[in-house]
Amino acid sequence: RPELEVWTIGINTLLSPLGGFAMKTVMARLVLWLVGWVWIGRLFILLGFVGAGLYYMDVKIKDTSARSEEAMSLFVNLLVIDVVIVLNWLSSLLSDTVCVFYLVSEIVSAQYFFESWKIAAVALLLSIFLAWLTQGWWFWIIGLEVALAVVLLIALTISSGIVRLWIDSVFTQHGEKLKEWRMSMRERRKEMEEELASLKKKNQQLQEENEQLKKRKG
C-alpha cells in the first residue's frame, strides 16, 4: 500500500534518527545531572578506585577474571564516568564539552576520530565552542528536538493520509473506466485464444490431408 510505504520511509529516514538523537541528548544530560550530585560523584570515584584495585590484583569472581574482556568493558565505562565527574568538578564547561563531543560522534562516526588526530582535534575545538554557546540552553534544545519529532510525526501522518485520499479519488474517478478496460482486454484475450485454437485445428486438418495425399501417391 502506497501510504504505508510513505509512512515507513518517513519513519526510517527522518523520525527514527531524530528520535534516537533526542533520546541520546536526554540521556547525556541526565548523566551529567546525576554526577553533578556530590555524593553520587564521590561514590563513582570510589568505585573507580575499587575497580582499579580489582584489575591490578586480577581478582576472579565466579571464575571471571577482572582482566577479562567483559570486565574490561565495565572498567572502561567506569573510567569514562569518573573522568566526566572530575571534569564537572573542575568546570561545567568541560563536562558540557564531553557531552557535545559525544553527540558529535553520534552524527559523525567516531571512527574518523581514530583515523586522523586532526579531525579529532577539530571536533574537540568545535565541541568546546558549542558547549560554551549552549550553556544554560539545554532545556530548550531538548524541547526543540522533541518538538521537531512531534512535527515530523504529524507531517508523516498527514502525508500518508493525503496519499490515501489521492488514491481513493483516482480510483473513484477512473475506477469504472479501468474496470471496462480490463473487461474489454479479457474479451479480446478470449477472442484471440479462440482464434488461436481455430488456427491450430485447421493446421491439424491440413496435416492430416497432407498425410492422406502422400499415402495415395505411394
Side-chain angles (χ1 to χ4, degrees):
R1 298 174 63 180
E3 67 274 14
L4 291 181
E5 290 294 330
V6 172
W7 176 265
T8 302
I9 292 174
I11 290 293
N12 293 333
T13 58
L14 296 174
L15 190 59
S16 181
L18 179 59
F21 186 79
M23 183 62 65
K24 291 173 182 177
T25 304
V26 172
M27 294 303 297
R29 297 309 304 177
L30 181 61
V31 169
L32 288 181
W33 178 75
L34 288 175
V35 300
W37 293 74
V38 177
W39 61 273
I40 294 180
R42 291 176 179 176
L43 177 61
F44 274 101
I45 293 295
L46 178 61
L47 290 176
F49 282 113
V50 172
L54 293 176
Y55 179 81
Y56 178 77
M57 293 183 293
D58 194 14
V59 176
K60 293 184 179 180
I61 301 176
K62 294 183 179 180
D63 297 331
T64 301
S65 174
R67 297 185 180 181
S68 62
E69 293 183 1
E70 296 82 1
M72 182 63 66
S73 62
L74 179 62
F75 292 151
V76 170
N77 291 330
L78 186 58
L79 176 62
V80 171
I81 294 175
D82 288 345
V83 170
V84 172
I85 292 172
V86 173
L87 292 177
N88 188 53
W89 286 348
L90 295 175
S91 172
S92 60
L93 178 61
L94 296 178
S95 58
D96 286 345
T97 300
V98 175
C99 177
V100 173
F101 188 81
Y102 164 71
L103 295 176
V104 170
S105 66
E106 291 296 322
I107 300 175
V108 181
S109 178
Q111 182 179 357
Y112 294 110
F113 300 154
F114 295 104
E115 292 178 354
S116 174
W117 67 269
K118 294 181 180 179
I119 297 178
V122 171
L124 180 59
L125 293 176
L126 180 62
S127 299
I128 295 174
F129 174 73
L130 290 177
W132 171 78
L133 196 64
T134 56
Q135 277 191 319
W137 289 89
W138 283 104
F139 177 80
W140 298 103
I141 292 173
I142 294 174
L144 178 62
E145 292 177 355
V146 174
L148 286 176
V150 173
V151 169
L152 281 178
L153 180 60
I154 296 174
L156 285 176
T157 304
I158 294 175
S159 60
S160 299
I162 291 174
V163 171
R164 179 71 265 175
L165 291 175
W166 177 74
I167 293 174
D168 291 340
S169 64
V170 170
F171 182 79
T172 301
Q173 294 176 3
H174 305 285
E176 291 297 328
K177 293 181 180 180
L178 180 62
K179 185 177 181 181
E180 293 176 358
W181 177 77
R182 291 177 63 183
M183 293 298 295
S184 64
M185 291 298 295
R186 288 179 181 177
E187 293 177 358
R188 178 61 179 167
R189 184 179 65 181
K190 186 176 180 181
E191 292 175 359
M192 293 179 65
E193 289 177 350
E194 292 176 353
E195 184 177 356
L196 180 61
S198 176
L199 291 174
K200 287 182 178 180
K201 187 175 180 180
K202 290 181 180 180
N203 184 37
Q204 186 177 1
Q205 291 177 355
L206 291 174
Q207 289 180 355
E208 291 177 355
E209 291 177 359
N210 190 22
E211 292 293 333
Q212 290 178 2
L213 290 174
K214 288 181 178 180
K215 290 180 180 178
R216 291 176 182 178
K217 289 181 180 181

